[in-house]
Amino acid sequence: MKKQNSNTNILFLTELSVLIAIILLMAFTPIGYIKTAGLEITLITIPVIIGAITLGPVAGLILGTVFGITSFLQCILGMSPFGVVLLGINPLFCFLVCVPTRMLMGLVTGLIFKSLCKIKSPKYSITSLSGALLNTLFFMLALILCYWNTDFIQGIAESLGKTSILPFIIAFVGINGLVEAICCFVIAAAISRALDKFIKKM
């Protein structure tokens, strides 16, 4: 029993370490973000979702934390033009938009998968799509709560012709959120399903 637990812990830590390394690689190379004229389409949600599904909510929380910290570092290092502006307006708010939102996304994604295991459902697909949507939802909620009344966000809202919060969110996220959701739905679900089966066989 002790040997089995030890092997399980080693497997957990190994996969977690690999996923953290992938997040760091994606965060500081062009493969992690698809640059657009508006918000960046992030693909870093994919390893977070995979970890949350195959390793559980705690791993999702850890991976989400790493994701959030790299997002905040991108603001500090000037790698995200949008984030640089947010940082300049209020560094604390910028941290809240970047880090706790991603932590919560990883945790909740893991909890969703855990709850879906109890019922007959396409759990990998539902969880993967949920993770992508939660990432966008938590980010936008934090952005609105922290920055809605700033000249920067109000200026963007006026340029989009959306002065109310809900229409602004829909217009601001737009096609970027849709592409992000589709990527996570397809890629994360496929990898998670295969990896989860492999781990169970191990």
Side-chain angles (χ1 to χ4, degrees):
M1 181 64 72
K2 287 183 178 180
K3 185 177 180 180
Q4 186 178 0
N5 290 335
S6 177
N7 290 339
T8 301
N9 291 335
I10 291 171
L11 187 62
F12 177 91
L13 292 173
T14 300
E15 186 184 343
L16 184 65
S17 300
V18 170
L19 289 170
I20 289 174
I22 291 172
I23 290 173
L24 294 174
L25 176 66
M26 294 179 74
F28 299 107
T29 61
I31 62 175
Y33 292 91
I34 300 174
K35 303 291 184 179
T36 66
L39 279 177
E40 298 150 341
I41 300 172
T42 176
L43 303 178
I44 304 180
T45 49
I46 293 174
V48 177
I49 292 169
I50 291 171
I53 289 175
T54 59
L55 298 176
V58 174
L61 176 64
I62 295 170
L63 294 167
T65 302
V66 176
F67 174 26
I69 291 172
T70 61
S71 297
F72 187 59
L73 286 174
Q74 286 200 337
C75 301
I76 295 174
L77 299 174
M79 298 173 66
S80 170
F82 183 78
V84 168
V85 178
L86 297 185
L87 184 71
I89 296 172
N90 190 310
L92 176 60
F93 284 172
C94 183
F95 177 85
L96 294 176
V97 169
C98 291
V99 181
T101 53
R102 274 57 187 263
M103 293 172 65
L104 194 57
M105 180 273 290
L107 175 64
V108 176
T109 300
L111 292 173
I112 289 173
F113 183 77
K114 192 174 181 179
S115 65
L116 290 175
C117 286
K118 300 174 183 177
I119 59 175
K120 195 172 182 179
S121 67
K123 53 188 178 182
Y124 298 99
S125 298
I126 293 174
T127 306
S128 297
L129 182 60
S130 297
L133 295 177
L134 286 171
N135 181 60
T136 301
L137 175 64
F138 292 150
F139 176 85
M140 289 306 299
L141 283 176
L143 182 69
I144 293 300
L145 288 172
C146 293
Y147 289 99
W148 176 248
N149 292 320
T150 63
D151 293 337
F152 176 57
I153 296 299
Q154 286 299 311
I156 296 175
E158 289 176 7
S159 68
L160 294 172
K162 310 293 181 183
T163 54
S164 298
I165 292 177
L166 185 58
F168 166 76
I169 292 175
I170 295 172
F172 190 58
V173 173
I175 192 69
N176 292 15
L178 181 62
V179 171
E180 186 174 308
I182 292 173
C183 287
C184 288
F185 177 72
V186 175
I187 300 172
I191 295 176
S192 297
R193 184 182 292 108
L195 189 58
D196 199 29
K197 289 180 179 179
F198 173 77
I199 291 173
K200 285 176 180 177
K201 286 182 180 180
M202 293 287 290

